[in-house]
Structure formats: structure tokens, C-alpha cells
Amino acid sequence: MDYIRSLDADRWLFHADVLVDRAHVVMLAERGIIRADEAAAILKCLRGLNEDVFVERELPAYEDLHTAIESTIIREIGEDIGGRMHTARSRNDEVATCIRLALREELLQLMKELNELRRALMDKAAENIETVMPGYTHLQHAQPTTLAHHCLAHADSFARDFARLIDAYGRVNVSPLGAAAFAATGFPIDRARTARLLGFDSVLENSMDAVSTRDFVIETVSCYANLMTNLSRLAEELILWCSSEFGFLIPPEEYTTGSSIMPQKRNPDYAELVRARTGSVYGCLVSILSICKALPYSYNRDLQEVTPNLLRATRLTIDSVTVMRGYVEKSEFNKERMAYEAQIGFTAATELADTIVRETGLPFRTAYRIVARMAKEQPDRSDILDIIDRFSVDITGKRISELGLTLDRVKEALDTATNIDRRAVTGGPARKEVMRMLKYRKDALERDEALRTAKQEHVKQCLNELEQEVERIIQSSVCV
Ligand code: ARG
């Protein structure tokens, strides 16, 4: 029997399953499919189930969670009443509904954590508008930028992850309940009512589709995979930056560990595990895709194997976001070192070429060739204008100073702060533009968080309504 079970996933679904049972029983009573007193007895018994005791003692004795709950109810109140709970449904629609409910809660939690991470990155950006650092391409010094610009780049990728998750949430939060095995039921059930009582936004109509599909899982775990990819890139940078080669970052004490042999070490293990667990989440996605591929409609037991992979991917993703948020919040940057490195490697080369274009009217490619000679031959720069002149004569036949370039302009071009400040077009690292982006993104974050909270509140309200209905049915049968 062990072979056909997925105990961890069933434990995860316990809370959802009790809710599904309650909503189903309330609806059965409302539609007159079972009597109110029968419903009351079942609901009372469901209420009496203690999660810890049930999960520990009952669950391991049965084929799955759904069978365990029903069998426990029947044992406690007899089959004559307890045996009516499963009228007009199947484990197929039941489990699909449970997964959607449990996943919905996790998604709301994940989006909350993700917004906290976005906030942490924006706070770091706000503190570091003036913190100059080298920007990299090919992991080589490229052009100077600011830490604020860099933090906002990561925040933007997480904003898109939020957008993907909230979109996926809309396709998770639909109710398959009432589809029964796949062909619905001849009983006059009300699918919209159970959907409403459970806080779903709508009914997943076609009963065969409703029990067969796990595309909402594939979509969700794809969102995780994307999010983890973005997270791993941030993790990787934080790992690199705290190496002595970079020396940009002092990693927070609580996110590092020591070495058992090298007393001096502080290793960025948490960020390394985020990087590694990205691979584990991909693994879950590939497992789920492979399990679902070419499965004939409608339900097959193969689908059960999807759930543990979803659960694992969900846990890994939420925990990784939480870790990275703390890591970002508590990281301290070595601003002097970053500023120093920002000018190493001739990072002002592009601005110097741009300045030559602006001052002399030479084509960019010609200016580029002049500056490229400087980069290659690395002359002593004390006489910089003469040097540029020399290369300019070689390349254009003319002295650059005759074309209008002055020493002051060259010095400006070589200055890191000027380099950054000139990049003031939309999206650039100039102070003014970064401030504008930051403000816009803070507002967008507030809107996103309000959207998430509204969804959470809606669910809460519906589940309250369910609780009241349960209470009403139990109370009315006490009065009889
Ligand atoms: N434990 C099963 C799952 O997770 C529940 C559905 C079982 N249905 C069936 N027809 N065997 O998929």
C-alpha cells in the first residue's frame, strides 16, 4: 500500500480537504440531496477532526487522504449518515479542488514574500542613489553605474514575476468541484454555490477538463522556475561580490557559515543554496511535465505524482524568496571599494568616445577607433590630449584638438560621476532618472500588494461565510 500513497502531499492537503467536505455537505443539504440533520452530524464530526491526531494516526492507515477522512467519519457516526458525504462527487474532483485551494494559499504567501523582497531592493536602491560601482558585461568592467540602478534592475525582474504569479493565480482559483469522476452527476448539485463557499472566482466548467487538467500546476511551477532563475542571478552576484576579488559586500552574519578547518572563513552558504535550489525547482517542473505528457483523459493515478513535486517546488521557492529578502536587507556594501573599482578597466571609454563625437563631429565609429587605441596601448595618461591627438592623426589624419576637443571636456568624460549623470535618458543610471524610476516602482509595488491583499480578503470573506453556514446547520439541528 505504501507504494501508492503520497503521504506528505496528503498532509499538505488536509486543511483544504476539510473545507471542501464542508462546502460540499452544506450544498448537498441546501439542495435537499441530504437532510439537514444528516448534514449537521457530518459537519460536527468534521469539526471534531484534530489535524495532528488525524494525520499521525488515521492517515497512514488508508490509501489516501480522501478515503481516510470519509472512513473516519463513517466509523464515528455510522455509514447511514457518514456514508452520504461522498454523494455526487468523486475523489477525482475532490483532489483537484484540494490542490487548487492549498496552492492558492501558498501563492498568496509567496506573492507577499516576493513583494517584501521587492521592497528590500527598493530600500537598498533609495540608500544608494550615489553609490558608484562598475557595471559589467561578460563579467568584465564595462561602464560605471550606481548600486541603486543595479538594485532596481533586479526589482524589475521580480515585479514581472509578481505579474506572472497573480495571472497564474486567476487560473488556479477556479473550482473543479462537482465534476465528480469526470462525467459530473445526475444529482441536482449547485457547482456555483460550492465554488463561492470555497472562495473560488468561478467554476471550471467542462467536467472532463476539470478532473483531467494539471495545467495550472505546470503554469505555476513555470512561474516558480522563472522566479528562481531571477533569484539565482541575484544570489550569484551576492556570492561573487563578497569574494575578496570583488570585496563589495559584507554578507550578513546570519546568512553565512564558517569552515570546519579554516578559522577565517565566512561562506555565503544561503545564497549558494538558493542558486542550487533553482536547479531543484527546474527538476520539479520537468517531473510534472513528464508525468502529464500524453496522459489519456480523464483521471489517471499518474496525476497523484504531480502533487509532491508541486509541494516541493512551492516550499523551495517561498523559502528561497524569504532568504534572499533577509540577505538583501542585511547586506552591507563597501562603497569606497565599489567606487574605486568603478574607474578601473577604463570604464569611461564609451563616454570619451561619445564626447569626441559631440565635440568634433567625427562619426562614432571613428571616435571609437581612437579610444580603442588608447585602451589597447594603455599609454601614460598624464598628457592625455596629446595622446588622443596622436591616435587621431594616425586614424583621421587630423589632430583632435584642431577639431574642437579640449582638455576640460576630456577630463569631464573621464570622471565617473559625470559618466553616470549624463545617462539621464529613460531607464539610465543618472540620479534624476533613478529617483523617478524608484518613485514609480514604489507606487507600482503598493498597487500590486493591494491587489494581492484584496484577493486574500475575498477568500477570507467567503470562508467566513462557509463557517457561518456550517454553524447555522449545526445549530438548527440542535434546536430540532
Ligand atoms: N490520491 C489521489 C490523487 O491524489 C486521489 C484521487 C484518487 N482517484 C482515483 N480514482 N483513484 O490523485
Side-chain angles (χ1 to χ4, degrees):
M1 179 117 104
D2 268 355
Y3 186 74
I4 63 163
R5 284 193 297 217
S6 52
L7 268 184
D8 274 350
D10 275 3
R11 284 191 195 108
W12 179 51
L13 296 179
F14 173 82
H15 182 66
D17 209 346
V18 172
L19 287 174
V20 171
D21 288 342
R22 284 179 172 192
H24 183 64
V25 169
V26 166
M27 182 277 296
L28 289 179
E30 284 174 354
R31 304 291 292 181
I33 300 168
I34 62 173
R35 291 201 320 258
D37 60 312
E38 291 164 343
I42 299 170
L43 292 171
K44 245 196 274 181
C45 193
L46 280 170
R47 190 176 268 185
L49 283 184
N50 175 300
E51 178 166 356
D52 293 337
V53 176
F54 178 85
V55 159
E56 188 142 322
R57 296 219 197 114
E58 304 288 346
L59 192 53
Y62 294 95
E63 182 191 322
D64 65 19
L65 171 70
H66 324 294
T67 313
I69 295 182
E70 189 188 349
S71 305
T72 306
I73 302 282
I74 290 176
R75 196 184 60 222
E76 304 230 330
I77 57 175
E79 188 163 318
D80 190 36
I81 296 178
R84 294 173 196 277
M85 181 172 78
H86 208 58
T87 314
R89 74 170 189 194
S90 145
R91 284 182 298 166
N92 299 351
D93 60 338
E94 186 179 354
V95 72
T97 312
C98 293
I99 296 168
R100 287 169 185 272
L101 274 182
L103 180 55
R104 174 179 80 186
E105 286 308 303
E106 304 281 3
L107 282 178
L108 288 168
Q109 178 65 23
L110 172 59
M111 288 189 278
K112 183 164 183 268
E113 296 291 334
L114 187 56
N115 284 344
E116 292 294 324
L117 172 62
R118 290 165 69 192
R119 197 182 310 278
L121 283 163
M122 287 183 207
D123 288 347
K124 276 284 166 229
E127 290 163 22
N128 288 286
I129 307 262
E130 312 277 354
T131 307
V132 174
M133 67 176 288
Y136 298 83
T137 63
H138 311 271
L139 204 55
Q140 317 244 0
H141 288 208
Q143 291 173 341
T145 186
T146 64
L147 183 54
H149 192 234
H150 201 118
C151 286
L152 286 186
H154 283 293
D156 278 8
S157 75
F158 295 125
R160 288 189 295 274
D161 285 315
F162 178 88
R164 273 186 280 272
L165 284 167
I166 200 125
D167 208 41
Y169 180 95
R171 278 177 289 276
V172 168
N173 199 31
V174 288
S175 175
L177 196 60
F182 79 87
T185 174
F187 288 100
I189 59 168
D190 183 347
R191 296 190 64 195
R193 177 65 173 152
T194 43
R196 160 83 203 176
L197 286 171
L198 290 169
F200 286 112
D201 296 325
S202 59
V203 168
L204 193 60
E205 279 191 1
N206 186 308
S207 59
M208 186 176 272
D209 175 40
V211 295
S212 305
T213 188
R214 292 293 183 272
D215 59 0
F216 68 101
V217 177
I218 296 171
E219 183 178 0
T220 300
V221 181
S222 304
C223 293
Y224 296 166
N226 216 324
L227 164 55
M228 290 298 292
T229 305
N230 288 334
L231 218 50
S232 74
R233 298 183 71 175
L234 175 60
E236 170 72 355
E237 289 188 338
L238 296 178
I239 293 163
L240 285 173
W241 290 359
C242 75
S243 70
S244 39
E245 280 72 15
F246 279 81
F248 291 177
L249 182 74
I250 302 130
E253 185 78 21
E254 62 263 56
Y255 290 103
T256 60
T257 62
S259 152
S260 60
I261 179 170
M262 297 167 282
Q264 85 284 14
K265 295 272 286 189
R266 290 317 303 173
N267 300 319
D269 300 43
Y270 281 73
E272 289 173 299
L273 282 168
V274 168
R275 190 171 60 180
R277 286 177 178 158
T278 303
S280 301
V281 171
Y282 296 169
C284 294
L285 176 60
V286 172
S287 296
I288 294 166
L289 286 166
S290 315
I291 293 163
C292 292
K293 178 183 174 292
L295 262 192
Y297 273 38
S298 59
Y299 180 86
N300 301 270
R301 194 62 178 248
D302 309 50
L303 290 178
Q304 178 179 291
E305 193 65 7
V306 167
T307 319
N309 284 291
L310 169 64
L311 174 59
R312 178 162 154 75
T314 302
R315 293 270 147 85
L316 290 175
T317 306
I318 295 178
D319 291 350
S320 302
V321 172
T322 309
V323 161
M324 287 312 286
R325 193 244 299 181
Y327 211 107
V328 168
E329 265 173 7
K330 299 200 178 98
S331 286
E332 279 179 44
F333 291 88
N334 185 338
K335 298 184 185 181
E336 272 151 45
R337 169 84 186 193
M338 291 169 110
Y340 172 76
E341 287 295 330
Q343 11 130 31
I344 303 294
F346 200 7
T347 53
T350 314
E351 184 53 34
L352 182 57
D354 289 351
T355 300
I356 293 174
V357 170
R358 280 194 292 266
E359 299 300 312
T360 67
L362 282 173
F364 174 75
R365 188 54 61 213
T366 312
Y368 171 99
R369 285 200 288 134
I370 295 169
V371 180
R373 279 283 292 278
M374 290 180 62
K376 195 164 169 219
E377 296 181 22
Q378 298 190 340
D380 169 11
R381 299 222 188 118
S382 50
D383 251 339
I384 186 108
L385 199 56
D386 290 347
I387 295 160
I388 302 176
D389 263 344
R390 183 148 54 80
F391 293 140
S392 172
V393 170
D394 284 358
I395 290 168
T396 69
K398 286 197 190 114
R399 291 168 60 102
I400 203 109
S401 43
E402 280 167 23
L403 295 172
L405 186 68
T406 64
L407 186 58
D408 279 352
R409 290 281 173 271
V410 171
K411 281 187 179 157
E412 267 171 36
L414 295 179
D415 180 66
T416 326
T418 313
N419 260 259
I420 293 169
D421 248 23
R422 285 195 178 150
R423 284 156 169 72
V425 296
T426 304
R431 179 193 166 85
K432 207 170 124 233
E433 179 55 11
V434 167
M435 301 273 275
R436 186 200 63 77
M437 286 199 277
L438 180 58
K439 188 188 168 317
Y440 183 87
R441 278 147 185 77
K442 275 188 173 164
D443 293 347
L445 174 59
E446 293 317 318
R447 281 196 301 276
D448 284 350
E449 184 53 19
L451 194 63
R452 189 199 71 82
T453 315
K455 296 206 181 294
Q456 196 165 38
E457 283 306 310
H458 173 74
V459 167
K460 216 164 138 193
Q461 208 184 320
C462 293
L463 295 184
N464 275 341
E465 198 179 312
L466 171 60
E467 184 57 42
Q468 279 164 20
E469 288 302 322
V470 168
E471 190 56 32
R472 203 180 49 72
I473 292 175
I474 291 177
Q475 287 307 324
S476 63
S477 85
V478 172
C479 298
V480 170

